[in-house]
Amino acid sequence: MMPLKTSVRATLGLAFLCLAFGVSLTGCKWQPGFGYNKGHSPEQPIPFDHKLHVSTNGIQCQYCHNQVERSKHSNVPALSTCMNCHMQVKTDSPHIQKLAEAYSKGESIPWVRVHMLPDHVTFNHSAHIRRGVNCQTCHGQVETMQKVYQNADLSMGWCINCHRQPENNAPLNCTTCHH
Ligand code: HEC
Ligand code: HEC
Ligand code: HEC
Ligand code: HEC
Ligand code: HEC
């Protein structure tokens, strides 16, 4: 087990106090507000339009995010996945020329992370996908987003609220999400 971050260790005691007094986890006012990045939508090196690719052109999420079922992490697609189409499609676009140039140099596109849980939190995509939780449940209607943004606040309360639904039978103990 990895040692807990000092700040986490220091606040764990408070967390238990909070629980002991029956305050809901979301209501714990001492909780610092990081991770709460709802709506976050950073600029990308190449503007990538999910609506155009998913809704207009019918490309499935997992055609591009192809690690999501197997791995702890989902992934942003490799350039070779883009070039399956963009060797031919829209080659007159300056954005596509930028893709092609990076591809021919063996470089990758430095996509900027949208979602970012703090280091002390463990999340596992494959466990959720295998249980049939949809991408949209957590990420919202990505197929309508011309520029992707963070849909949920990714707070501990958000995770716990779903885990504690009886039908989900999901683990609630602290070490599930904090190692
Ligand atoms: C044609 C390829 C492609 C398809 C299809 C696609 N995506 Fe993406 N997705 C990307 C790329 C490229 C990025 C990184 C650029 C960005 O964030 O806009 C990305 C970023 C994301 C992110 C943000 C990742 C982060 O940095 O936190 C989420 C969430 C996401 N996609 C979900 C989905 C979902 C859900 C679907 C299906 C409804 C989908 N994607 C379909 C290529 C794709
Ligand atoms: C399955 C085919 C397919 C894949 C894979 C694909 N695209 Fe596309 N992409 C398209 C189509 C179709 C269009 C719309 C072309 C048009 O407007 O005529 C498009 C349009 C675009 C545009 C807009 C170009 C412009 O200037 O109008 C960008 C940027 C783009 N794609 C980036 C990407 C990136 C980055 C990836 C890899 C993460 C990717 N695409 C993967 C089919 C694909
Ligand atoms: C139970 C909620 C949940 C579901 C379901 C879910 N995601 Fe995520 N996703 C997250 C969280 C939380 C993060 C941030 C993880 C981190 O920062 O470590 C994330 C991050 C991502 C990222 C950024 C790369 C990464 O792994 O950190 C992509 C891409 C992504 N998700 C795509 C998808 C796709 C595609 C689906 C559906 C096949 C999906 N997600 C289903 C919660 C979810
Ligand atoms: C929409 C409902 C939902 C949300 C939101 C959700 N989870 Fe889960 N989670 C589940 C379910 C259902 C399981 C049980 C999966 C299984 O059968 O192992 C689970 C299991 C897990 C597991 C155990 C995985 C394993 O390997 O057994 C971890 C870790 C986890 N979730 C972390 C998180 C974190 C962290 C968040 C918030 C960032 C989160 N979850 C948000 C539904 C959810
Ligand atoms: C289902 C996943 C999940 C479970 C179970 C969980 N947490 Fe968390 N926890 C998170 C997430 C996500 C964050 C980061 C977002 C935030 O601060 O709300 C977090 C943040 C925290 C923080 C703030 C850390 C800091 O540096 O400020 C503390 C303290 C904490 N959790 C304690 C606990 C305790 C104690 C338990 C057991 C009663 C627990 N957690 C159970 C997901 C979880």
Side-chain angles (χ1 to χ4, degrees):
M1 216 167 99
M2 298 217 333
L4 281 175
K5 221 178 69 182
T6 321
S7 69
V8 181
R9 239 186 287 126
T11 42
L12 277 178
L14 273 170
F16 286 118
L17 255 178
C18 211
L19 286 171
F21 285 102
V23 183
S24 82
L25 288 167
T26 33
C28 276
K29 288 293 181 283
W30 50 268
Q31 251 185 253
F34 78 85
Y36 305 122
N37 243 343
K38 189 170 176 158
H40 185 51
S41 184
E43 290 307 318
Q44 298 294 346
I46 291 173
F48 179 80
D49 184 340
H50 274 82
K51 187 176 176 219
L52 175 69
H53 286 87
V54 181
S55 292
T56 311
N57 287 292
I59 310 171
Q60 301 289 314
C61 309
Q62 299 198 14
Y63 178 87
C64 288
H65 301 291
N66 57 1
Q67 296 294 317
V68 84
E69 227 166 315
R70 264 165 289 158
S71 122
K72 185 167 174 303
H73 285 288
S74 177
N75 61 301
V76 162
L79 204 41
S80 58
T81 307
C82 314
M83 296 318 285
N84 287 344
C85 292
H86 287 293
M87 285 289 200
Q88 275 92 39
V89 175
K90 203 75 187 176
T91 50
D92 58 339
S93 153
H95 298 308
I96 301 304
Q97 284 157 7
K98 204 169 153 188
L99 281 183
E101 194 190 319
Y103 186 63
S104 68
K105 288 188 189 151
E107 291 168 357
S108 51
I109 305 295
W111 302 111
V112 181
R113 286 288 297 260
V114 179
H115 297 75
M116 188 84 84
L117 285 172
D119 286 346
H120 60 82
V121 180
T122 308
F123 180 78
N124 186 330
H125 266 97
S126 61
H128 292 88
I129 307 301
R130 274 192 265 105
R131 277 287 298 271
V133 187
N134 285 329
C135 311
Q136 284 79 359
T137 307
C138 299
H139 292 299
Q141 307 305 116
V142 176
E143 65 279 9
T144 67
M145 297 178 191
Q146 291 181 288
K147 184 162 180 277
V148 78
Y149 58 83
Q150 184 176 318
N151 169 68
D153 66 9
L154 304 192
S155 66
M156 174 161 147
W158 177 73
C159 311
I160 298 278
N161 277 340
C162 182
H163 277 218
R164 72 169 158 222
Q165 303 303 316
E167 67 274 19
N168 286 339
N169 191 26
L172 286 168
N173 48 314
C174 311
T175 51
T176 303
C177 303
H178 302 286
H179 292 315

